[in-house]
Amino acid sequence: MRDLLLSVKKSSSDVLSALLEDFVALDDKKLSSAVMKLQAQLKRLLDSSQGTSTPLRSEHDLHHSTLRTTVVAQKVELRKQKSDLSKKDSAYSEFLKQFYDLIEIYFSDTLINPKDLFLHEVFLYDLKSPHRDVFMPKPRFAIERALSAPHDYLDCECCVPAGGGLDEATLSSTQPATAILYQLYLESGSLINVSDLWSAFNAILNDDGDGDEAQVMALFQRSLAELKYMGFIKSSRKKADHIAKVAWKGL
């Protein structure tokens, strides 16, 4: 609507004449009578300028704007400058303002904002953010969230942090092995000692000391391979017993 009203401000007299004809054809007696008065006023204005073949233009028309080039501190600056209007163009600008005010009031009184209607979300969809989230998903953010808070996705009691809270940093032996290793990975630096990582991982999953260490080692190696597959870690050339951290959460 704003673009439509701006284009009306820049319309010449020949374009405006055709536009007035369209408004007269609308099924609105009050508007039609007001537009017919403007048609008669425009006709008198055009009759007074029959000596020229060019249409009348308003002060907002691009023909009345010129670019002025100035050099300041060895930098070229472009400025818009309005040229002087003739008496006929000035009169046409005043007439165009009357028509602009008329249709602005008409549209504001006639049109209904669809967002004010009940349940407009059912038939109106104009939000850019959900559109971008659906058609341009963020897989890395989803993976980081799933590994940090697996209970949000699995919806099971065993993955809920100890104490029943929702603290993502809380480690629990009932959480998926890859999620446990990922949270240990977040607490590490850019170079991670695999032996230290294994010790911390084994302490969480085998906290009572009676578990099968071979099974825990298998879970550790599988989780380490999954983190490498997802691009979180890579082998380090500096130290053979270390892995390098590739990605940081949120970056």
Side-chain angles (χ1 to χ4, degrees):
M1 185 57 60
R2 179 176 177 272
D3 292 338
L4 173 63
L5 294 175
L6 287 176
S7 63
V8 169
K9 276 188 173 182
K10 299 177 182 179
S11 58
S12 57
S13 58
D14 53 347
V15 175
L16 186 62
S17 298
L19 188 60
L20 291 174
E21 292 290 341
D22 294 334
F23 272 91
V24 170
L26 291 177
D27 189 15
D28 191 314
K29 294 182 179 180
K30 184 177 179 181
L31 178 66
S32 298
S33 61
V35 172
M36 289 176 67
K37 294 179 180 178
L38 290 176
Q39 272 187 317
Q41 186 177 348
L42 178 61
K43 186 176 183 302
R44 291 194 299 268
L45 188 62
L46 292 176
D47 291 341
S48 63
S49 59
Q50 286 183 351
T52 58
S53 58
T54 57
L56 299 177
R57 301 185 184 276
S58 69
E59 59 182 350
H60 301 284
D61 196 282
L62 295 177
H63 287 76
H64 290 140
S65 297
T66 57
L67 289 177
R68 183 179 180 182
T69 306
T70 56
V71 179
V72 179
Q74 296 182 351
K75 293 182 180 180
V76 179
E77 294 183 357
L78 294 178
R79 297 179 181 177
K80 283 188 176 181
Q81 187 176 9
K82 292 286 186 180
S83 58
D84 295 334
L85 295 177
S86 63
K87 292 183 179 180
K88 295 177 181 178
D89 286 339
S90 298
Y92 176 70
S93 299
E94 292 294 330
F95 167 79
L96 194 59
K97 187 178 182 303
Q98 298 179 28
F99 177 66
Y100 177 88
D101 294 339
L102 175 66
I103 60 173
E104 186 180 25
I105 295 173
Y106 173 75
F107 286 139
S108 61
D109 293 341
T110 307
L111 298 181
I112 300 173
N113 187 359
K115 292 184 179 180
D116 295 337
L117 298 176
F118 179 64
L119 293 179
H120 70 274
E121 300 91 348
V122 177
F123 57 87
L124 179 66
Y125 179 82
D126 64 343
L127 298 178
K128 295 181 180 179
S129 181
H131 184 277
R132 183 172 59 249
D133 291 343
V134 170
F135 294 100
M136 297 179 63
K138 300 176 181 178
R140 177 173 173 176
F141 172 77
I143 292 173
E144 289 178 349
R145 178 173 172 79
L147 293 175
S148 300
H151 51 275
D152 288 349
Y153 291 83
L154 300 177
D155 194 22
C156 56
E157 296 181 358
C158 59
C159 291
V160 177
L166 297 177
D167 187 6
E168 295 181 359
T170 305
L171 290 172
S172 174
S173 59
T174 58
Q175 293 178 354
T178 309
I180 296 173
L181 191 62
Y182 175 73
Q183 294 179 56
L184 294 174
Y185 157 90
L186 292 178
E187 300 173 359
S188 306
S190 57
L191 280 179
I192 307 172
N193 190 317
V194 180
S195 178
D196 295 341
L197 195 63
W198 154 249
S199 299
F201 184 84
N202 185 40
I204 295 172
L205 264 72
N206 193 14
D207 53 353
D208 54 1
D210 298 333
D212 188 355
E213 188 170 324
Q215 183 179 0
V216 177
M217 174 60 76
L219 292 174
F220 175 75
Q221 292 182 356
R222 187 187 70 180
S223 302
L224 206 62
E226 289 180 351
L227 290 181
K228 184 177 181 180
Y229 175 76
M230 289 185 289
F232 288 103
I233 59 174
K234 68 177 181 179
S235 302
S236 175
R237 296 181 180 179
K238 296 181 180 180
K239 298 181 180 180
D241 58 344
H242 284 60
I243 54 176
K245 198 173 185 180
V246 179
W248 279 258
K249 185 179 179 182
L251 297 178

PDB file of all heavy atoms in Angstrom, residues 51-70:
ATOM      1  N   GLY A  51      -1.018  24.648 -24.582  1.00  0.00           N
ATOM      2  CA  GLY A  51       0.073  25.041 -25.460  1.00  0.00           C
ATOM      3  C   GLY A  51       1.254  24.092 -25.428  1.00  0.00           C
ATOM      4  O   GLY A  51       2.097  24.112 -26.320  1.00  0.00           O
ATOM      5  N   THR A  52       1.353  23.261 -24.393  1.00  0.00           N
ATOM      6  CA  THR A  52       2.485  22.332 -24.256  1.00  0.00           C
ATOM      7  C   THR A  52       2.015  20.908 -24.524  1.00  0.00           C
ATOM      8  O   THR A  52       0.891  20.524 -24.180  1.00  0.00           O
ATOM      9  CB  THR A  52       3.084  22.410 -22.848  1.00  0.00           C
ATOM     10  OG1 THR A  52       2.071  22.100 -21.881  1.00  0.00           O
ATOM     11  CG2 THR A  52       3.638  23.798 -22.577  1.00  0.00           C
ATOM     12  N   SER A  53       2.887  20.120 -25.152  1.00  0.00           N
ATOM     13  CA  SER A  53       2.536  18.730 -25.462  1.00  0.00           C
ATOM     14  C   SER A  53       2.943  17.767 -24.360  1.00  0.00           C
ATOM     15  O   SER A  53       2.467  16.635 -24.313  1.00  0.00           O
ATOM     16  CB  SER A  53       3.226  18.307 -26.771  1.00  0.00           C
ATOM     17  OG  SER A  53       4.634  18.456 -26.663  1.00  0.00           O
ATOM     18  N   THR A  54       3.842  18.190 -23.491  1.00  0.00           N
ATOM     19  CA  THR A  54       4.289  17.308 -22.416  1.00  0.00           C
ATOM     20  C   THR A  54       3.274  17.314 -21.279  1.00  0.00           C
ATOM     21  O   THR A  54       2.655  18.340 -20.985  1.00  0.00           O
ATOM     22  CB  THR A  54       5.662  17.764 -21.866  1.00  0.00           C
ATOM     23  OG1 THR A  54       5.567  19.110 -21.421  1.00  0.00           O
ATOM     24  CG2 THR A  54       6.720  17.654 -22.953  1.00  0.00           C
ATOM     25  N   PRO A  55       3.084  16.163 -20.616  1.00  0.00           N
ATOM     26  CA  PRO A  55       2.128  16.119 -19.494  1.00  0.00           C
ATOM     27  C   PRO A  55       2.659  16.876 -18.288  1.00  0.00           C
ATOM     28  O   PRO A  55       3.859  17.126 -18.155  1.00  0.00           O
ATOM     29  CB  PRO A  55       2.007  14.616 -19.202  1.00  0.00           C
ATOM     30  CG  PRO A  55       3.290  14.023 -19.687  1.00  0.00           C
ATOM     31  CD  PRO A  55       3.692  14.841 -20.882  1.00  0.00           C
ATOM     32  N   LEU A  56       1.749  17.242 -17.409  1.00  0.00           N
ATOM     33  CA  LEU A  56       2.143  17.919 -16.178  1.00  0.00           C
ATOM     34  C   LEU A  56       2.758  16.912 -15.210  1.00  0.00           C
ATOM     35  O   LEU A  56       2.339  15.754 -15.137  1.00  0.00           O
ATOM     36  CB  LEU A  56       0.924  18.569 -15.534  1.00  0.00           C
ATOM     37  CG  LEU A  56       0.217  19.647 -16.364  1.00  0.00           C
ATOM     38  CD1 LEU A  56      -1.025  20.155 -15.631  1.00  0.00           C
ATOM     39  CD2 LEU A  56       1.155  20.803 -16.674  1.00  0.00           C
ATOM     40  N   ARG A  57       3.741  17.365 -14.462  1.00  0.00           N
ATOM     41  CA  ARG A  57       4.437  16.485 -13.525  1.00  0.00           C
ATOM     42  C   ARG A  57       4.489  17.159 -12.153  1.00  0.00           C
ATOM     43  O   ARG A  57       4.603  18.377 -12.070  1.00  0.00           O
ATOM     44  CB  ARG A  57       5.852  16.170 -14.024  1.00  0.00           C
ATOM     45  CG  ARG A  57       5.870  15.491 -15.388  1.00  0.00           C
ATOM     46  CD  ARG A  57       7.265  15.087 -15.808  1.00  0.00           C
ATOM     47  NE  ARG A  57       7.281  14.528 -17.146  1.00  0.00           N
ATOM     48  CZ  ARG A  57       7.010  13.269 -17.450  1.00  0.00           C
ATOM     49  NH1 ARG A  57       6.679  12.420 -16.478  1.00  0.00           N
ATOM     50  NH2 ARG A  57       7.051  12.841 -18.698  1.00  0.00           N
ATOM     51  N   SER A  58       4.447  16.337 -11.120  1.00  0.00           N
ATOM     52  CA  SER A  58       4.446  16.854  -9.758  1.00  0.00           C
ATOM     53  C   SER A  58       5.876  17.084  -9.276  1.00  0.00           C
ATOM     54  O   SER A  58       6.849  16.732  -9.939  1.00  0.00           O
ATOM     55  CB  SER A  58       3.738  15.871  -8.815  1.00  0.00           C
ATOM     56  OG  SER A  58       4.511  14.706  -8.659  1.00  0.00           O
ATOM     57  N   GLU A  59       5.973  17.649  -8.090  1.00  0.00           N
ATOM     58  CA  GLU A  59       7.296  17.923  -7.525  1.00  0.00           C
ATOM     59  C   GLU A  59       8.029  16.655  -7.126  1.00  0.00           C
ATOM     60  O   GLU A  59       9.244  16.663  -6.947  1.00  0.00           O
ATOM     61  CB  GLU A  59       7.143  18.823  -6.303  1.00  0.00           C
ATOM     62  CG  GLU A  59       6.260  18.224  -5.212  1.00  0.00           C
ATOM     63  CD  GLU A  59       6.084  19.149  -4.039  1.00  0.00           C
ATOM     64  OE1 GLU A  59       6.807  20.167  -4.005  1.00  0.00           O
ATOM     65  OE2 GLU A  59       5.247  18.858  -3.160  1.00  0.00           O
ATOM     66  N   HIS A  60       7.311  15.536  -6.982  1.00  0.00           N
ATOM     67  CA  HIS A  60       7.934  14.268  -6.616  1.00  0.00           C
ATOM     68  C   HIS A  60       8.405  13.475  -7.832  1.00  0.00           C
ATOM     69  O   HIS A  60       9.007  12.415  -7.652  1.00  0.00           O
ATOM     70  CB  HIS A  60       6.948  13.411  -5.808  1.00  0.00           C
ATOM     71  CG  HIS A  60       6.473  14.074  -4.549  1.00  0.00           C
ATOM     72  ND1 HIS A  60       7.248  14.175  -3.412  1.00  0.00           N
ATOM     73  CD2 HIS A  60       5.293  14.685  -4.256  1.00  0.00           C
ATOM     74  CE1 HIS A  60       6.578  14.804  -2.478  1.00  0.00           C
ATOM     75  NE2 HIS A  60       5.383  15.126  -2.961  1.00  0.00           N
ATOM     76  N   ASP A  61       8.120  13.944  -9.011  1.00  0.00           N
ATOM     77  CA  ASP A  61       8.527  13.229 -10.213  1.00  0.00           C
ATOM     78  C   ASP A  61      10.040  13.282 -10.373  1.00  0.00           C
ATOM     79  O   ASP A  61      10.699  14.254 -10.002  1.00  0.00           O
ATOM     80  CB  ASP A  61       7.848  13.855 -11.441  1.00  0.00           C
ATOM     81  CG  ASP A  61       7.926  12.935 -12.649  1.00  0.00           C
ATOM     82  OD1 ASP A  61       8.996  12.885 -13.270  1.00  0.00           O
ATOM     83  OD2 ASP A  61       6.914  12.288 -12.960  1.00  0.00           O
ATOM     84  N   LEU A  62      10.595  12.193 -10.935  1.00  0.00           N
ATOM     85  CA  LEU A  62      12.046  12.111 -11.105  1.00  0.00           C
ATOM     86  C   LEU A  62      12.579  13.144 -12.080  1.00  0.00           C
ATOM     87  O   LEU A  62      13.764  13.483 -12.038  1.00  0.00           O
ATOM     88  CB  LEU A  62      12.430  10.702 -11.577  1.00  0.00           C
ATOM     89  CG  LEU A  62      12.150   9.561 -10.590  1.00  0.00           C
ATOM     90  CD1 LEU A  62      12.510   8.229 -11.214  1.00  0.00           C
ATOM     91  CD2 LEU A  62      12.915   9.778  -9.296  1.00  0.00           C
ATOM     92  N   HIS A  63      11.719  13.650 -12.978  1.00  0.00           N
ATOM     93  CA  HIS A  63      12.165  14.657 -13.948  1.00  0.00           C
ATOM     94  C   HIS A  63      12.557  15.961 -13.271  1.00  0.00           C
ATOM     95  O   HIS A  63      13.297  16.762 -13.850  1.00  0.00           O
ATOM     96  CB  HIS A  63      11.063  14.916 -14.986  1.00  0.00           C
ATOM     97  CG  HIS A  63      10.899  13.788 -15.962  1.00  0.00           C
ATOM     98  ND1 HIS A  63      10.269  12.605 -15.621  1.00  0.00           N
ATOM     99  CD2 HIS A  63      11.304  13.659 -17.256  1.00  0.00           C
ATOM    100  CE1 HIS A  63      10.258  11.803 -16.669  1.00  0.00           C
ATOM    101  NE2 HIS A  63      10.880  12.408 -17.675  1.00  0.00           N
ATOM    102  N   HIS A  64      12.048  16.168 -12.062  1.00  0.00           N
ATOM    103  CA  HIS A  64      12.353  17.398 -11.348  1.00  0.00           C
ATOM    104  C   HIS A  64      13.490  17.228 -10.337  1.00  0.00           C
ATOM    105  O   HIS A  64      13.748  18.128  -9.539  1.00  0.00           O
ATOM    106  CB  HIS A  64      11.109  17.918 -10.618  1.00  0.00           C
ATOM    107  CG  HIS A  64      10.080  18.438 -11.560  1.00  0.00           C
ATOM    108  ND1 HIS A  64       8.730  18.221 -11.378  1.00  0.00           N
ATOM    109  CD2 HIS A  64      10.184  19.145 -12.712  1.00  0.00           C
ATOM    110  CE1 HIS A  64       8.055  18.785 -12.369  1.00  0.00           C
ATOM    111  NE2 HIS A  64       8.917  19.356 -13.190  1.00  0.00           N
ATOM    112  N   SER A  65      14.123  16.053 -10.352  1.00  0.00           N
ATOM    113  CA  SER A  65      15.248  15.796  -9.462  1.00  0.00           C
ATOM    114  C   SER A  65      16.524  15.675 -10.281  1.00  0.00           C
ATOM    115  O   SER A  65      16.556  14.960 -11.280  1.00  0.00           O
ATOM    116  CB  SER A  65      15.029  14.495  -8.659  1.00  0.00           C
ATOM    117  OG  SER A  65      13.893  14.612  -7.833  1.00  0.00           O
ATOM    118  N   THR A  66      17.539  16.355  -9.888  1.00  0.00           N
ATOM    119  CA  THR A  66      18.831  16.307 -10.559  1.00  0.00           C
ATOM    120  C   THR A  66      19.912  15.962  -9.538  1.00  0.00           C
ATOM    121  O   THR A  66      19.785  16.262  -8.353  1.00  0.00           O
ATOM    122  CB  THR A  66      19.172  17.646 -11.233  1.00  0.00           C
ATOM    123  OG1 THR A  66      19.142  18.685 -10.234  1.00  0.00           O
ATOM    124  CG2 THR A  66      18.186  17.966 -12.332  1.00  0.00           C
ATOM    125  N   LEU A  67      20.975  15.327 -10.019  1.00  0.00           N
ATOM    126  CA  LEU A  67      22.093  14.970  -9.163  1.00  0.00           C
ATOM    127  C   LEU A  67      23.169  16.038  -9.258  1.00  0.00           C
ATOM    128  O   LEU A  67      23.572  16.435 -10.357  1.00  0.00           O
ATOM    129  CB  LEU A  67      22.666  13.610  -9.578  1.00  0.00           C
ATOM    130  CG  LEU A  67      21.798  12.382  -9.262  1.00  0.00           C
ATOM    131  CD1 LEU A  67      22.459  11.128  -9.806  1.00  0.00           C
ATOM    132  CD2 LEU A  67      21.560  12.254  -7.772  1.00  0.00           C
ATOM    133  N   ARG A  68      23.617  16.475  -8.115  1.00  0.00           N
ATOM    134  CA  ARG A  68      24.669  17.491  -8.067  1.00  0.00           C
ATOM    135  C   ARG A  68      25.936  16.853  -7.508  1.00  0.00           C
ATOM    136  O   ARG A  68      25.927  16.235  -6.446  1.00  0.00           O
ATOM    137  CB  ARG A  68      24.232  18.655  -7.178  1.00  0.00           C
ATOM    138  CG  ARG A  68      25.245  19.795  -7.138  1.00  0.00           C
ATOM    139  CD  ARG A  68      24.727  20.923  -6.261  1.00  0.00           C
ATOM    140  NE  ARG A  68      25.674  22.021  -6.206  1.00  0.00           N
ATOM    141  CZ  ARG A  68      25.493  23.118  -5.478  1.00  0.00           C
ATOM    142  NH1 ARG A  68      24.388  23.246  -4.768  1.00  0.00           N
ATOM    143  NH2 ARG A  68      26.395  24.065  -5.473  1.00  0.00           N
ATOM    144  N   THR A  69      27.029  16.980  -8.248  1.00  0.00           N
ATOM    145  CA  THR A  69      28.302  16.373  -7.867  1.00  0.00           C
ATOM    146  C   THR A  69      29.201  17.425  -7.243  1.00  0.00           C
ATOM    147  O   THR A  69      29.431  18.484  -7.829  1.00  0.00           O
ATOM    148  CB  THR A  69      29.013  15.759  -9.094  1.00  0.00           C
ATOM    149  OG1 THR A  69      28.116  14.848  -9.742  1.00  0.00           O
ATOM    150  CG2 THR A  69      30.262  15.017  -8.674  1.00  0.00           C
ATOM    151  N   THR A  70      29.703  17.106  -6.045  1.00  0.00           N
ATOM    152  CA  THR A  70      30.638  17.989  -5.359  1.00  0.00           C
ATOM    153  C   THR A  70      31.824  17.165  -4.871  1.00  0.00           C
ATOM    154  O   THR A  70      31.686  15.985  -4.541  1.00  0.00           O
ATOM    155  CB  THR A  70      29.977  18.688  -4.156  1.00  0.00           C
ATOM    156  OG1 THR A  70      29.428  17.694  -3.277  1.00  0.00           O
ATOM    157  CG2 THR A  70      28.886  19.621  -4.605  1.00  0.00           C
TER     158      THR A  70
END
